Amino acid sequence: PTVLWAMGKHSGQAEVVEQACGALRDIAADPGGARRVAGEGGEQLIVAMCALSRHAGVQTQACGVIKNIAADGIARRTLLDVSGPPQIENGGARIPGGVPPVRSMPDGPGRATRAVCAALQAHLDVSLTVEQACGALWNLSSDSAARSAAVDFDAVGMALRALDRHPE
């Protein structure tokens, strides 16, 4: 789709990637759209999250895409089967609190789960990011391997910290 082309062409421009992820989030709200986005753009979405980890808008929208993809069992399986080395290493930076740099990101279910956990951890003060990330983790956790990865990446601890910061 044209949206994925725009994401790739302007991968370093956070505002463009944020808007593209917003469009993908809306497309993925429908099961057919979720399956297409997962199949054609799952890897690109995770790479964008890693490349622009400090941009809360990108993280919020990307977590929304993953939340919608993971709500559909077939699309979730497609996203969780994404494999291969990530193309972006986030400068090798360790996100405060302990999620390791992306360069050591595992294949399969751990990739999407780690990307969401990293977004949650980096943007715990942004309520919309927290909302979308927690929704994504909820839907991803329908898969036992993704659930295990969430435990490994301390998603429970991050969710509890998010509740402390956002009691509303």
Side-chain angles (χ1 to χ4, degrees), residues 38 42-43 46 77-84 106-109 111:
E43 172 70 8
I46 292 169
R77 176 57 23 223
T78 301
L79 178 68
L80 294 177
D81 286 343
V82 167
S83 63
D107 286 348
R111 295 191 83 178

Side-chain angles (χ1 to χ4, degrees), residues 48-132:
M49 290 180 76
C50 299
L52 299 167
S53 65
R54 290 184 174 85
H55 193 278
V58 170
Q59 300 305 304
T60 300
Q61 296 296 348
C63 284
V65 179
I66 291 175
K67 179 183 79 171
N68 288 348
I69 288 172
D72 177 78
I74 294 169
R76 179 178 52 249
R77 176 57 23 223
T78 301
L79 178 68
L80 294 177
D81 286 343
V82 167
S83 63
Q87 299 170 14
I88 306 279
E89 295 186 5
N90 194 24
R94 179 175 288 275
I95 294 176
V99 175
V102 176
R103 68 171 170 249
S104 59
M105 186 177 279
D107 286 348
R111 295 191 83 178
T113 306
R114 179 178 286 179
V116 171
C117 286
L120 179 59
Q121 191 169 34
H123 302 286
L124 272 174
D125 291 325
V126 182
S127 61
L128 192 53
T129 304
V130 169
E131 178 185 335
Q132 294 299 313

